[in-house]
Amino acid sequence: MKDLLPHNPSALSLAAVAPRAICVYCGSGKGLKPAYAESARILGRSMAQAGIALVYGGSSNGLMGEVARATFGHGGHVIGIMPENLALIEPPLRDVQELIFTKSLHERKMMMFERSDAFVALPGGLGTLEELVEQLTWAQLRHHEKPVIIANMGGYWNPLLALFSAMESETFIRPGLEARYLLVEKAEDIVPVVTKFWNPAAQSMDTASLL
């Protein structure tokens, strides 16, 4: 697990009183393991029960649909954000509080970033990987202080974690510019980890104590 402690304490203090939302990146397919879909449903239910809104890519398919339906079905607020052209080939989930269509992927990604206070990557494909790495890069360069959670259900992200280690070994990721993320193995732990990070008391905690 990598360091993701905030270096701007005032950011956490301000965030403590603001409405919260988690952006969930995940596949528009369900993958081969039933545990992936179950994890998405657990996360959606946990977010709704904690009063945390979901920001996601707007699709009704795969893990995206699972997490959105679970959030909405348990009384949570769902914000789907989808490019107009993608909506023509991938049906959006329309039974949500907010469904926003953008002109481009770039506009969609920036809107998802702006509407969110944390980012979670469940299993997914190239789009999920690209979105996760973008947030890790922005966190690495101190473009934001929002927590980034890698949800490593069934070891799905182990190859990526191994790549990060190789990058460090080859000094392409240098000391002081480490990938800053929190690693979670169980879906039910995601919301507690994120809310503990948001808590101002977490300012003085070692990252390991967040898990």
Side-chain angles (χ1 to χ4, degrees):
M1 179 174 56
K2 301 299 181 183
D3 175 41
L4 189 56
L5 290 179
H7 70 270
N8 182 0
S10 63
L12 274 178
S13 299
L14 291 172
V17 297
R20 295 298 193 178
I22 295 176
C23 179
V24 177
Y25 302 130
C26 57
S28 59
K30 291 187 179 181
L32 295 179
K33 297 179 180 178
Y36 298 154
E38 178 61 19
S39 294
R41 291 190 289 268
I42 290 171
L43 175 57
R45 181 178 70 242
S46 299
M47 290 173 59
Q49 291 172 344
I52 299 170
L54 167 68
V55 176
Y56 88 115
S59 176
S60 62
N61 292 341
L63 301 187
M64 297 173 73
E66 294 289 344
V67 68
R69 280 187 286 267
T71 304
F72 185 82
H74 287 86
H77 190 89
V78 177
I79 305 162
I81 304 175
M82 176 179 277
E84 293 174 348
N85 63 334
L86 183 58
L88 299 175
I89 58 176
E90 187 170 311
L93 185 62
R94 297 188 177 275
D95 191 18
V96 297
Q97 289 90 347
E98 298 184 59
L99 179 59
I100 302 167
F101 295 101
T102 64
K103 297 294 184 183
S104 68
L105 280 170
H106 292 293
E107 183 185 358
R108 173 211 219 178
K109 290 194 297 178
M110 183 54 67
M111 188 176 295
M112 292 172 78
F113 171 78
E114 292 172 344
R115 296 290 299 266
S116 303
D117 301 291
F119 306 92
V120 172
L122 295 175
L126 290 177
T128 303
L129 176 62
E130 186 263 347
E131 291 164 329
L132 167 61
V133 171
E134 180 173 67
Q135 293 308 329
L136 290 175
T137 302
W138 288 5
Q140 179 191 44
L141 300 177
R142 303 304 196 265
H143 180 68
H144 72 76
E145 302 286 346
K146 302 173 184 181
V148 181
I149 313 299
I150 296 179
N152 196 32
M153 280 73 223
Y156 180 79
W157 292 111
N158 284 348
L160 179 63
L161 301 177
L163 179 59
F164 290 162
S165 295
M167 289 175 175
E168 290 180 353
S169 297
E170 295 286 350
T171 70
F172 287 108
I173 296 179
R174 300 182 299 280
L177 290 175
E178 292 86 0
R180 302 168 68 232
Y181 59 86
L182 297 169
L183 187 64
V184 175
E185 304 286 343
K186 297 179 180 179
E188 54 264 36
D189 293 335
I190 295 172
V191 167
V193 165
V194 172
T195 54
K196 198 167 189 178
F197 183 91
W198 286 336
N199 187 335
Q203 295 174 30
S204 61
M205 293 180 181
D206 182 83
T207 307
S209 68
L210 293 174
L211 295 181

